[in-house]
Amino acid sequence: MLQDKNIVLGVCGSIAAYKAATLIRLLVKAGANVQVVMTPDATNFITPLTLSTLSKKPVLVDYFIPETGEWNNHVDLGLWADLVIIAPASANTMAKMAGGLCDNLLMAVYLSAKCEVYFAPAMDLDMWKHDATRENIVKLQSFGNILIPPGVGELASGLSGEGRMAEPEEIVAFISSSLKKKLPLADQKILVTAGPTYEAIDPVRFIGNHSSGKMGFAIADQLARLGADVTLVSGPSAQKSKQASIKRIDVTSAAEMLEACLLHFQNSVACIMSAAVADYTPAHPVQQKIKKADNYLHIELKQTVDILSTLGAQKTNGQVLVGFALETNDEEKNAIKKLQMKNLDFIVLNSLNDAGAGFKKDTNKITIIDKTLQKTTYPVKNKDEVALDICHKIIELIKR
């Protein structure tokens, strides 16, 4: 959820400022770009050098840098940020936020921000319970700011109770969950297949195809970005998912892919079968390497179980099933036949005759044909963009 997000992390004067170091590490590990803005008092608790080293960006404290005369532009920072997180948020800073006071750079960035603002209070028990603090929290929430509730535990004063800043792991989990709930595919279970299958002839040889898995992996990544709980069943592929939340299941043969799909299909709201599954497999694979002998080697082949047809026969109302058709001739005719025979909701057609389409490329050119035979043709795009077009069609069908 935090991949490529621009985050302004505001650090205030509180003993809990030491937790900002861990929070930055977690945000950066999640793929976020973190710009730290500290209040002057915060620098008494943890050094800007520590936080700049972890964030890989200079920490900003003042409006101006006297040595260079440079201005830290709070308006630009507010526009740059996808999220503002103020952690720890001291009682003093929350009072300034509630009252619109602007006596330091962090408050100027806060007042300039166009994005969501999260705040994680940190203070002693009596300060947390004070009526003024409670009123300020209510006021901040009325502005649309999002409270990350403090925990209960030992406080700096020696007291024990509420007011302890949430742990960095809890903050990241809270924000990720909050962001995910707003996405169009939040918590929808979706199954994706990708890559080729390898059908064993003997222990060292196989029948396969040229599929790299790029298209299927791009679809899985885009679905995860849109909030889906994605299970990716992949044949042999060097591709890697960009989204850590994706559950990947590696298989080799068509039979193994069928088994994995049957295990997860029933609980999936949608299934996108982008794998290039072998149509035939050796009828009698041997256990020892076949030695070269005669000029000709005859291998008897048998049909594999058609995974797409099997899932199409099991599909229930409300499930969306998507297939792919890579064709070399009579493209639309063959794609429509496959669409109707296999009970698909739509099929993604691409032709090896189109420049920019085909195996192992970073681009693709597709036509989507749905079960009403409505056709949408797209220009050549990179596969991430193609994947997003396919995802938008899935969202359209799921939301009906």
Side-chain angles (χ1 to χ4, degrees), residues 184-371:
L185 291 173
D187 299 323
Q188 300 281 11
K189 295 184 184 298
I190 298 183
L191 177 64
V192 181
T193 66
T197 64
Y198 290 173
E199 308 302 319
I201 297 172
D202 64 20
V204 298
R205 301 180 181 91
F206 61 85
I207 296 171
N209 57 62
H210 295 296
S211 174
S212 65
K214 287 182 179 180
M215 191 70 254
F217 275 73
I219 292 168
D221 282 330
Q222 293 289 18
L223 289 169
R225 288 191 184 101
L226 292 165
D229 291 337
V230 180
T231 298
L232 173 63
V233 180
S234 175
S237 173
Q239 300 301 309
K240 295 186 182 299
S241 298
K242 298 174 184 176
Q243 299 297 311
S245 64
I246 293 172
K247 177 184 177 183
R248 176 171 171 173
I249 300 172
D250 290 310
V251 299
T252 301
S253 66
E256 291 172 352
M257 185 168 284
L258 172 64
E259 183 181 358
C261 288
L262 290 175
L263 185 62
H264 294 278
F265 179 67
Q266 186 176 6
N267 295 323
S268 299
V269 71
C271 174
I272 301 90
M273 289 288 300
S274 61
V277 183
D279 293 321
Y280 292 90
T281 188
H284 306 290
V286 298
Q287 301 304 311
Q288 302 295 327
K289 179 182 176 182
I290 300 171
K291 298 297 184 181
K292 183 167 64 175
D294 300 327
N295 290 333
Y296 296 94
L297 174 67
H298 297 279
I299 300 173
E300 183 181 358
L301 301 178
K302 64 177 181 179
Q303 281 191 357
T304 57
V305 176
D306 191 317
I307 301 176
L308 200 51
S309 291
T310 301
L311 299 183
Q314 294 185 7
K315 183 165 72 82
T316 60
N317 290 335
Q319 281 187 302
V320 174
L321 182 59
V322 180
F324 277 66
L326 177 62
E327 303 291 344
T328 58
N329 60 285
D330 296 328
E331 289 93 333
E332 285 191 23
K333 178 182 177 182
N334 288 330
I336 290 171
K337 182 180 178 181
K338 186 174 183 180
L339 168 77
Q340 294 173 333
M341 286 182 61
K342 302 190 179 185
N343 192 26
L344 308 182
D345 292 278
F346 70 88
I347 194 161
V348 180
L349 166 65
N350 47 42
S351 171
L352 285 178
N353 296 318
D354 289 333
F359 290 133
K360 297 185 179 179
K361 297 181 183 295
D362 292 326
T363 59
N364 207 352
K365 183 178 186 300
I366 67 166
T367 296
I368 290 178
I369 306 173
D370 66 21
K371 60 185 177 182

Side-chain angles (χ1 to χ4, degrees), residues 11-22 38 42 45-46 51 87-88 122 165:
V11 181
C12 305
S14 164
I15 187 61
Y18 78 90
K19 294 183 180 181
T22 302
M38 301 178 75
F45 293 92
I46 190 168
L51 302 188
M165 188 181 98

Side-chain angles (χ1 to χ4, degrees), residues 52-292:
S52 66
T53 301
L54 295 170
S55 66
K56 300 177 176 61
K57 293 179 183 293
V59 169
L60 307 181
V61 180
D62 301 310
Y63 286 107
F64 297 95
I65 304 172
E67 295 79 11
T68 63
E70 290 181 81
W71 173 40
N72 292 320
N73 191 324
H74 57 282
V75 175
D76 284 350
L77 280 169
L79 292 173
W80 173 82
D82 296 313
L83 297 171
V84 173
I85 306 169
I86 301 179
S90 64
N92 184 51
T93 291
M94 290 195 303
K96 292 178 181 181
M97 293 166 65
L101 297 182
C102 191
D103 63 349
N104 61 45
L105 178 60
L106 177 57
M107 289 302 94
V109 173
Y110 164 70
L111 291 173
S112 302
K114 305 291 186 185
C115 59
E116 287 186 334
V117 177
Y118 293 80
F119 65 105
M123 64 200 70
D124 208 71
L125 177 62
D126 293 329
M127 298 170 70
W128 172 249
K129 288 184 173 181
H130 197 283
D131 288 345
T133 302
R134 312 310 298 175
E135 287 183 7
N136 287 335
I137 290 172
V138 171
K139 195 170 184 181
L140 290 175
Q141 290 176 306
S142 75
F143 295 161
N145 299 321
I146 301 168
L147 169 68
I148 302 175
V152 176
E154 186 178 350
L155 304 171
S157 66
L159 296 174
S160 183
E162 198 172 10
R164 182 186 180 95
M165 188 181 98
E167 295 303 317
E169 294 82 1
E170 295 170 337
I171 291 172
V172 171
F174 182 98
I175 294 170
S176 296
S177 177
S178 177
L179 293 174
K180 186 173 183 178
K181 288 175 183 175
K182 298 178 177 68
L183 295 175
L185 291 173
D187 299 323
Q188 300 281 11
K189 295 184 184 298
I190 298 183
L191 177 64
V192 181
T193 66
T197 64
Y198 290 173
E199 308 302 319
I201 297 172
D202 64 20
V204 298
R205 301 180 181 91
F206 61 85
I207 296 171
N209 57 62
H210 295 296
S211 174
S212 65
K214 287 182 179 180
M215 191 70 254
F217 275 73
I219 292 168
D221 282 330
Q222 293 289 18
L223 289 169
R225 288 191 184 101
L226 292 165
D229 291 337
V230 180
T231 298
L232 173 63
V233 180
S234 175
S237 173
Q239 300 301 309
K240 295 186 182 299
S241 298
K242 298 174 184 176
Q243 299 297 311
S245 64
I246 293 172
K247 177 184 177 183
R248 176 171 171 173
I249 300 172
D250 290 310
V251 299
T252 301
S253 66
E256 291 172 352
M257 185 168 284
L258 172 64
E259 183 181 358
C261 288
L262 290 175
L263 185 62
H264 294 278
F265 179 67
Q266 186 176 6
N267 295 323
S268 299
V269 71
C271 174
I272 301 90
M273 289 288 300
S274 61
V277 183
D279 293 321
Y280 292 90
T281 188
H284 306 290
V286 298
Q287 301 304 311
Q288 302 295 327
K289 179 182 176 182
I290 300 171
K291 298 297 184 181
K292 183 167 64 175

